[in-house]
Amino acid sequence: MNSAGGREVPESDPPCEQPARAEAPPVMTDVPKDEREAPGPSSPLGALAADVAAVGPEPPPAVAAPLDGEAAAGTESLPSDQDLSKVTAFAPLEIVEVNDLDWKAVLNRTSPSSIRSEIRSTVERMEGLLDRADGPGMLFDKFRADPTDKVIKISDFDAEIPLWIIGDLHGDLLALEAALAAMRQPDLQPGEGPPRILFLGDLFDDEGFSLEILLRVFELIVDAPDRVCVIAGNHDEALSYDGVRFSSSVTPSDFADFLNANLTHEWIERAGKLAVRLFTNAPRALFFPDGLLAAHGGFPLVDLHPGLAESGEWNNPMCLSDFVWTRAHPKARRKLPNRFSHGSQFGYEDFAAFCSLSAGLGRPVTHMVRGHDHVEERYASFPAYRANPLLTTVALSRRLSREAFGPYERVPTMARYVEGALPRVYRLHIPVEMIRAYYPQPAADSIDNHPSQEPQA
């Protein structure tokens, strides 16, 4: 499993309870706070919550678990051996430990002032790309059913060209540059052709360097639009501009506050407008030919299945919302959709029901990669989902202010597409002293996680 230079060593398939750190399912240490205002009972969302349709096979009464995720007395919360015997076995999740990068070079690339010094050129190039009559031509755009399609079925995918997957960044410029440096390592990049990058959303908010992250992603896009795809996360989707000011329907929303504080700065304001344009039409989900689903949060929950089965309308606003907002429960069988907020969770039988539904609609799903949940280990693959595996990966090198527990310095992760299996996880071991210098730990009574000055080597 461990590899100082990035050598890939597959992990063994863990039992339900496994003390080894890299195998045990990481615990979510943050309480989600990025919720929108709850709709009232008279709204379409509220009305649906009052009439939830049961979809998919129900478990026998003797083994059924309550919808709150707690197992019934005398039962296990994991799939039975009989259930597992009916599904195709997936290869164990592979973990690669990345230690030997040129960390000085990584740090040299993380200068916020250098990135801001190119803001005019970056913004003008990005504006020109989005203004193209035939569209920006980003990775996977050619598979859209029409220019407004946000749930993309990929019909042809060359697995020999590396596809790197980066989860939530939330302004973590240090983690992004470490990920980009790892992609350039010859021993970590088999296959032919330049690498492709899939961002799973949530580029900004939670302090850090939100503007600089946005500008760096713009640079990557304009340099090679056909090699970069950006899925919208809930923080990205929540940002809006009314012609006068920016706002956000999610908390924390410090990036919108930053943009409003700099409305007199032409290029910062235009960068914010570009972010709104980009994410308004960004994909919410990708369906790969091997059965992999990629999204920021989850998938349409069970109360939407009857309508989806009847209409086949993947771009229904409520379906799009579930791809972005829903969260994975580590061990629950099923969770009741909550249409009064965006905090709904799903269980492993909910995911299995969706896999069955999607197959009937010509988009087979067998496994998934996502971000959204800031697990302490920065990646998670819960044993309960072994029939239809699910990988959570986020690229955060620090503990966010809204994460209550755990060490301040973290090991950010990224993943690489593996055909017919869960993406391979790469743990980026940024030196602890570098993280501390770049993101000084705030005082115990402070919620400000933004460095007050240019980071020093």
Side-chain angles (χ1 to χ4, degrees), residues 250-436:
V250 71
T251 300
S253 57
D254 47 271
F255 186 51
D257 296 337
F258 167 81
L259 293 173
N260 287 327
N262 290 274
L263 291 175
T264 57
H265 191 298
E266 177 185 359
W267 299 105
I268 291 179
E269 181 189 27
R270 286 168 68 169
K273 293 178 182 178
L274 274 176
V276 174
R277 287 184 62 188
L278 175 65
F279 287 111
T280 295
N281 199 42
R284 269 44 174 184
L286 303 174
F287 288 75
F288 287 83
D290 70 333
L292 177 68
L293 171 66
H296 176 71
F299 47 84
L301 299 179
V302 293
D303 59 325
L304 303 183
H305 290 190
L308 187 54
E310 181 178 353
S311 68
E313 181 47 68
W314 291 99
N315 286 275
N316 177 295
M318 296 185 71
C319 290
L320 296 179
S321 180
D322 282 358
F323 281 122
V324 174
W325 283 88
T326 54
R327 298 184 181 275
H329 192 285
K331 60 183 180 180
R333 289 181 182 271
R334 295 179 178 176
K335 298 291 286 185
L336 183 67
N338 175 13
R339 295 298 174 186
F340 289 94
S341 76
H342 282 76
S344 281
Q345 292 181 313
F346 58 84
Y348 62 85
E349 286 189 356
D350 295 320
F351 186 34
F354 175 76
C355 292
S356 177
L357 171 72
S358 61
L361 293 175
R363 300 189 180 204
V365 172
T366 55
H367 53 302
M368 181 178 185
V369 63
R370 60 189 293 278
H372 199 28
D373 293 323
H374 303 156
V375 290
E376 184 172 318
E377 291 287 336
R378 298 320 192 205
Y379 80 98
S381 179
F382 303 119
Y385 290 79
R386 64 180 60 184
N388 294 107
L390 179 150
L391 172 66
T392 299
T393 175
V394 294
L396 294 167
S397 66
R398 69 198 191 282
R399 186 184 69 234
L400 302 184
S401 298
R402 56 190 167 112
E403 294 180 282
F405 305 104
Y408 182 69
E409 302 84 10
R410 304 294 175 93
V411 180
T413 67
M414 64 177 181
R416 199 180 78 208
Y417 176 89
V418 177
E419 189 172 18
L422 280 180
R424 184 175 295 118
V425 173
Y426 291 74
R427 304 180 73 233
L428 307 173
H429 290 269
I430 302 174
V432 169
E433 61 273 15
M434 184 181 295
I435 298 174
R436 291 174 179 171

Side-chain angles (χ1 to χ4, degrees), residues 209-267:
F209 297 94
S210 293
L211 175 65
E212 289 77 9
I213 280 285
L214 189 65
L215 294 174
R216 279 295 283 128
V217 172
F218 286 170
E219 289 175 1
L220 294 170
I221 293 172
V222 296
D223 285 344
D226 61 336
R227 298 206 300 267
V228 180
C229 177
V230 184
I231 288 178
N234 56 315
H235 284 259
D236 314 312
E237 180 183 85
L239 184 68
S240 62
Y241 180 72
D242 63 4
V244 179
R245 294 180 62 81
F246 293 90
S247 62
S248 177
S249 57
V250 71
T251 300
S253 57
D254 47 271
F255 186 51
D257 296 337
F258 167 81
L259 293 173
N260 287 327
N262 290 274
L263 291 175
T264 57
H265 191 298
E266 177 185 359
W267 299 105

Side-chain angles (χ1 to χ4, degrees), residues 46-53 303:
L48 269 175
D51 185 19
V52 178
D303 59 325

Side-chain angles (χ1 to χ4, degrees), residues 10 38 67 77 94 102 110 123-124 128 159 188 205 267 275 290 296 300 346 366 370 378 428 452:
L67 288 173
S77 62
E94 295 184 64
D102 186 343
T110 61
V123 167
E124 287 181 333
L188 297 181
D205 284 335
W267 299 105
D290 70 333
H296 176 71
F346 58 84
T366 55
R370 60 189 293 278
R378 298 320 192 205
L428 307 173
S452 59

